Amino acid sequence: MEAFPQPAGPRPLLHGLSELERNLVLEQGRRRVLYRGATLFTQEAPNDGIWLIETGRIRVFYAAPTGREITLAYWYPGNFVGGPEVFGTGTHSWSGMAASNSTVLHLPGAALRQLVTKIPALAFGIIDGLTFKGRCYSALAQMLGTRSITDRLAFLLMHLSGLYGVEEEGGILIAADFTHADLAHMVGATRQWVTISLKRLTEQGIVSTRRSQILIQRPDVLARMPGVRKDA
């Protein structure tokens, strides 16, 4: 499994498990390889457990009847997707697809229910994961419901720096790869608009970009932008 790349994000699902416990979990799973763009699950389809991401990146999103999509989050190795009905009841509330070539391990709901009764560390991992997801989705709802598009981008950058930020010389690096298209999906804008806005922030010395990573050079300035200070 790839090293977990999100220093300030949720802990890996299998963190804290003994080797024996990890083997018990892995024995119940079925591995699946996904190429970039492949669908993992779709909203309103029956749910049956969760998928543990071993490699790659999974995008979780909501698709409106109009065809418009809003990205809820991108999840990395060590994370799981498929909740909140982790034990395999109900239907999916959103869809998931591979944002890059990925390997996932499917843990059926019935098997997962038995495992958490035997492995407390796994139960804590699921609770921690669901708590983190709740924070992400709550922030997204607040952002989309109360801010202009410009304010959304500022809020999103501060939110991502809080989740995945790593302090280094020159500022705070968002230690997860997000393309301009990724950011556009999360703020409900076009990729071109995000590119232009990031260029403006770069010219002002507030941020700088490194391929698909963003360094926030002036978090103090970003935090003072309208609609950011109270919630970021």
Side-chain angles (χ1 to χ4, degrees), residues 8 12 16 19 25 27 80 82 94 100 148 153 157 160 210 218 232:
E19 184 177 355
V25 173
E27 287 171 359
F80 67 88
W94 39 75
S100 63
S148 68
L153 180 60
L157 293 176
L160 294 177
R210 305 175 180 178
R218 295 295 307 275

Side-chain angles (χ1 to χ4, degrees), residues 130-170:
L130 291 175
T131 300
F132 183 85
K133 292 175 190 294
R135 287 172 53 201
C136 291
Y137 300 159
S138 176
L140 178 69
Q142 294 175 34
M143 177 180 68
L144 293 177
T146 63
R147 293 170 172 81
S148 68
I149 296 181
T150 300
D151 292 345
R152 290 177 201 172
L153 180 60
F155 177 87
L156 178 63
L157 293 176
M158 289 299 296
H159 179 63
L160 294 177
S161 72
L163 296 178
Y164 311 123
V166 175
E167 291 189 14
E168 56 175 58
E169 186 176 356

Side-chain angles (χ1 to χ4, degrees), residues 34-207:
L34 300 169
Y35 292 105
R36 180 179 180 182
T39 298
L40 181 57
F41 54 88
T42 57
Q43 62 197 56
E44 300 184 0
N47 193 347
D48 183 21
I50 62 174
W51 286 267
L52 172 63
I53 304 171
E54 295 185 316
T55 65
R57 182 170 66 154
I58 301 297
R59 173 187 172 226
V60 174
F61 62 96
Y62 176 79
T66 59
R68 182 187 178 193
E69 296 179 356
I70 292 293
T71 295
L72 299 172
Y74 288 83
W75 301 107
Y76 291 78
N79 297 157
F80 67 88
V81 294
E85 303 285 355
V86 297
F87 296 128
T89 58
T91 59
H92 288 290
S93 300
W94 39 75
S95 300
M97 64 171 288
S100 63
N101 294 342
S102 306
T103 303
V104 297
L105 187 75
H106 180 229
L107 294 171
L112 188 63
R113 183 183 292 273
Q114 292 183 346
L115 286 169
V116 296
T117 64
K118 301 175 182 178
I119 309 175
L122 178 62
F124 285 122
I126 292 174
I127 293 171
D128 285 347
L130 291 175
T131 300
F132 183 85
K133 292 175 190 294
R135 287 172 53 201
C136 291
Y137 300 159
S138 176
L140 178 69
Q142 294 175 34
M143 177 180 68
L144 293 177
T146 63
R147 293 170 172 81
S148 68
I149 296 181
T150 300
D151 292 345
R152 290 177 201 172
L153 180 60
F155 177 87
L156 178 63
L157 293 176
M158 289 299 296
H159 179 63
L160 294 177
S161 72
L163 296 178
Y164 311 123
V166 175
E167 291 189 14
E168 56 175 58
E169 186 176 356
I172 301 175
L173 179 69
I174 298 176
D177 293 338
F178 292 100
T179 67
H180 292 185
D182 295 338
L183 299 176
H185 280 135
M186 286 187 276
V187 299
T190 64
R191 180 186 59 79
Q192 292 83 355
W193 183 90
V194 168
T195 298
I196 293 171
S197 297
L198 286 176
K199 182 178 179 181
R200 289 173 180 166
L201 292 175
T202 299
E203 292 170 347
Q204 296 169 14
I206 299 174
V207 305

